Amino acid sequence: MQTPPTPPPPYLYAPILTEPEPVPSRGPIVLGVIATLIVAATSLAVLIYHAVASPEPSRVLIIRADRGWQNVQLTVEGGALSQPTTVSIDKLGNYIVPFFLWPGKYTLHVRNQGTEVYSKQFDLVNERSQELDLIAAGATTQPATAPATRSIPVTL
């Protein structure tokens, strides 16, 4: 005669008695959903307004150079710009720098180590784009004149 198997301990089968979580009332949930929808709709309306109301530049000034112009600064001023725009020529842009501008008359200043080495005016009122190849234009990264040096006579 065999003995019957021992039953498992009673704690494995005992139900866990806990208080049920209170169900949140419907009002705060509806209010949260409505507030989220209002914020999302307002954000979308602002984005659409800026996309429609903000004018995009319709002209482009393209400056070309080569590796000899590395780190030379280009500054465009005039036209509808409230302040001059300055960028450096680098390898990342393949030595090509585009300026997206509104119709107007602009001046390009090319500076190497703080000294202006080239300057040219552009009329972008009637033309949609203009290009300037600094090398073909005869520009150089060196100033046109060397800084003056004063010699001080030394008396012994």
Side-chain angles (χ1 to χ4, degrees), residues 2-10 12-13:
Q2 286 188 339
T3 60
T6 20
L12 292 179
Y13 291 106

Side-chain angles (χ1 to χ4, degrees), residues 1-132:
M1 177 170 193
Q2 286 188 339
T3 60
T6 20
Y11 60 84
L12 292 179
Y13 291 106
I16 300 173
L17 300 174
T18 59
E19 296 261 336
E21 293 282 326
V23 178
S25 63
R26 186 175 182 169
I29 294 174
V30 171
L31 185 63
V33 169
I34 290 173
T36 302
L37 290 175
I38 289 172
V39 168
T42 303
S43 299
L44 184 61
V46 168
L47 288 174
I48 291 172
Y49 171 76
H50 281 290
V52 172
S54 298
E56 291 185 16
S58 60
R59 306 294 194 258
V60 65
L61 174 60
I62 302 170
I63 310 300
R64 297 180 187 276
D66 64 11
R67 68 178 169 265
W69 293 82
Q70 181 83 19
N71 298 324
V72 171
Q73 290 186 332
L74 304 175
T75 302
V76 173
E77 62 183 7
L81 296 175
S82 60
Q83 61 185 8
T85 301
T86 301
V87 297
S88 294
I89 298 175
D90 62 11
K91 184 178 181 179
L92 183 64
N94 200 22
Y95 307 108
I96 299 172
V97 179
F99 289 95
F100 297 97
L101 305 164
W102 291 272
K105 295 182 180 187
Y106 296 91
T107 302
L108 170 72
H109 300 280
V110 182
R111 291 184 179 86
N112 187 14
Q113 299 176 353
T115 304
E116 186 166 311
V117 294
Y118 186 79
S119 179
K120 184 172 181 178
Q121 293 187 349
F122 292 92
D123 184 358
L124 293 174
V125 174
N126 297 320
E127 295 187 45
R128 296 190 69 76
S129 70
Q130 285 192 18
E131 289 189 30
L132 172 65

